[in-house]
Amino acid sequence: MFQDVLDFLMKFGPWGLFIHSFFDAVIFPIPAFFLQVSLSMLHPSTALWLATYGFIGCLLGTPIGYLIGKLLGKSVLYKILKKEWIDAATERFQKNGEAAILVGSFTPIPFKVFTILSGCLNFPLWRLMAYAAIGRATKFYVVGTLFYLYGNAAEGMVKNVSLYIFIIAVPLLLLGVYWNRRRKRKRNEVIQSETETEKPVLESKIPDQQTPSA
């Protein structure tokens, strides 16, 4: 059945990938990666345009998946996806939501798991959109660039593209997340320290209230 859906979407070219990517972030269990590869093999010269259609479709579908999680919770995930995928994604989210989204952009776990989980766990939507944009853009455009440069010879390269991106890009992205969080923590510590220093000074300037004599 899913192959029939993919064959149907292929007839629409870039718009088929746009639709697939949109629903990949919402409910469709087959990653848009497979349709992107199939279409890129047919027209390697348009591979970067295909990546753009897929990327935009994914971003537009992300808040819809978030809303589903917000309203329906994880029950909808258990009906359409493997329990181990959901449990693995939930564990990652509870440890570090930002890292989970970045890593989830490259793993075989369908991306909708992370959009819906974000809504379930009240993860800020703007942060989901930001990290989804980074992660999904990386994967879509790496695949698109390989086909654009190497044509159909890139088919063998993209089979392990998720692994390569995971090994190279994810550590760099996670390092950026760690550095940003550390910078914010230090800034908060400085603000707190300055507040504690100023507090005794302010208290010393307040005149003592003398109780009036009877």
Side-chain angles (χ1 to χ4, degrees), residues 95-201:
K95 291 180 178 179
N96 193 325
E98 295 93 340
I101 295 170
L102 289 173
V103 173
S105 298
F106 310 116
T107 62
I109 300 175
F111 190 61
K112 71 200 61 59
V113 175
F114 297 93
T115 62
I116 294 176
L117 271 179
S118 295
C120 294
L121 303 177
N122 293 316
F123 191 79
L125 177 59
W126 71 268
R127 288 167 67 186
L128 168 66
M129 296 294 293
Y131 288 107
I134 296 171
R136 300 305 277 176
T138 302
K139 187 168 184 178
F140 273 113
Y141 282 104
V142 166
V143 173
T145 300
L146 288 174
F147 273 102
Y148 182 78
L149 294 176
Y150 300 102
N152 289 342
E155 181 184 4
M157 303 177 188
V158 300
K159 288 181 179 178
N160 295 319
V161 69
S162 294
L163 176 61
Y164 297 146
I165 296 174
F166 187 85
I167 293 174
I168 298 172
V170 170
L172 295 176
L173 292 172
L174 294 182
L175 183 62
V177 172
Y178 170 77
W179 178 83
N180 187 50
R181 295 183 68 176
R182 185 176 179 181
R183 181 176 59 84
K184 288 182 178 179
R185 190 183 304 116
K186 285 187 175 181
R187 185 177 62 183
N188 292 335
E189 289 175 354
V190 170
I191 294 174
Q192 184 178 359
S193 177
E194 291 177 350
T195 303
E196 292 176 351
T197 302
E198 292 174 358
K199 187 176 179 181
V201 175

Side-chain angles (χ1 to χ4, degrees), residues 62-73 115-116 119 125:
T62 294
I64 307 301
Y66 181 90
L67 183 62
I68 290 174
K70 197 84 169 176
L71 297 177
L72 302 179
T115 62
I116 294 176
L125 177 59

